[in-house]
Amino acid sequence: GEEFCIVLPRTRLKDSIKLIQSIEGIVRELKIPHLSAIGSNIVTVSIGLASLVPQIMQSAKELIKLADQQLYCAKDQGRGRVVY
């Protein structure tokens, strides 16, 4: 699977959640065939959301690390889901 990052500056957490849930639902509704997938015969997306108010001397790597952790939580829970 591929990994993508969407950065939403100055976006409230609740608005980010709505957006990513919408993205997940739209992809699911497309029912794109995925013949080599394990556990599902259609393309799904697993999304990990992290939100962070940056502090002085804080690296963007921290935010990416948090989002990556959430992504793997989503995948571990069965894929095709959103975790935040």
Side-chain angles (χ1 to χ4, degrees), residues 2-84:
E2 301 298 325
E3 292 188 15
F4 301 91
C5 178
I6 299 172
V7 179
L8 303 169
R10 297 181 191 90
T11 305
R12 293 182 198 160
L13 179 60
K14 68 178 185 174
D15 295 330
S16 298
I17 292 168
K18 284 181 190 178
L19 175 65
I20 64 171
Q21 288 174 332
S22 175
I23 291 169
E24 190 279 328
I26 289 167
V27 171
R28 184 182 301 274
E29 288 175 11
L30 289 172
K31 296 182 180 173
I32 301 167
H34 192 323
L35 304 176
S36 63
I38 297 171
S40 177
N41 59 353
I42 61 170
V43 171
T44 61
V45 292
S46 298
I47 302 174
L49 170 66
S51 179
L52 184 68
V53 176
Q55 304 296 316
I56 296 174
M57 301 299 292
Q58 192 169 34
S59 169
K61 289 180 183 180
E62 287 184 55
L63 179 59
I64 293 168
K65 181 180 176 182
L66 290 170
D68 201 47
Q69 289 170 346
Q70 296 298 73
L71 170 62
Y72 282 95
C73 284
K75 288 181 176 185
D76 289 344
Q77 291 178 25
R79 301 181 183 247
R81 65 190 63 240
V82 173
V83 173
Y84 52 92

